[in-house]
Amino acid sequence: MSGLPMVLEPTRLQEMLDIAPFHQWLGLKIQSCSEDGLELTMPWRAEIISNPVLGAAHGGVLAALIDLTGLYTLLMLGTRAKATADLRVDYHRPATAGPLVARGQVIKIGRQISVAEARIFGPDDKLLASGRGAYIC
């Protein structure tokens, strides 16, 4: 993604992110925006635990974080991404503590479909999940 100009400032991107009640509930915060990518954080919440024995987060929450990170990475660059056409998620280890950090990068900006990837890290900076989304523009 390096070399692509950033169009939206972090404060504007955060305002867009905060419009959706689900994003507010997740507590998503823009940490950094640059030509190299986007970084979001999500605080740990007991409500996201789906396996109380392990204390692990539900995979759907991690998938949503990958999806949103990809989408907002594209929006940051001024694309008109509107909806997810395809999403692939790989789970590498259980997410058992937070905050969670998601880092996104653009793979391709297209007229009809754009692609971004995201990685989620735990507080120890270990990779928890990764994925790639294709978004309708």
Side-chain angles (χ1 to χ4, degrees):
M1 180 173 101
S2 195
L4 296 173
M6 202 175 74
V7 174
L8 295 177
E9 294 297 320
T11 53
R12 177 64 186 128
L13 205 58
Q14 185 69 54
E15 288 170 0
M16 293 168 60
L17 191 60
D18 288 341
I19 290 171
F22 180 60
H23 305 168
Q24 291 174 24
W25 183 83
L26 289 174
L28 301 176
K29 297 293 177 207
I30 306 282
Q31 291 303 305
S32 65
C33 296
S34 73
E35 293 81 14
D36 294 324
L38 173 71
E39 185 173 285
L40 295 174
T41 58
M42 186 185 105
W44 189 260
R45 299 175 58 118
E47 297 91 344
I48 69 170
I49 295 173
S50 70
N51 183 333
V53 173
L54 290 177
H58 190 284
V61 172
L62 299 179
L65 185 54
I66 286 172
D67 185 24
L68 291 167
T69 302
L71 175 65
Y72 279 83
T73 300
L74 290 165
L75 292 174
M76 172 184 75
L77 297 176
T79 67
R80 296 183 183 257
K82 297 176 184 156
T84 307
D86 188 49
L87 183 66
R88 155 116 189 157
V89 178
D90 294 311
Y91 301 98
H92 306 290
R93 61 178 44 89
T96 56
L100 302 177
V101 176
R103 297 181 185 123
Q105 288 188 310
V106 168
I107 302 299
K108 177 189 181 290
I109 294 178
R111 287 182 298 174
Q112 294 181 337
I113 298 283
S114 293
V115 179
E117 66 181 14
R119 292 180 173 91
I120 300 174
F121 299 88
D124 57 1
D125 211 33
K126 287 187 179 176
L127 181 65
L128 304 175
S130 60
R132 180 178 286 210
Y135 303 87
I136 299 167
C137 297

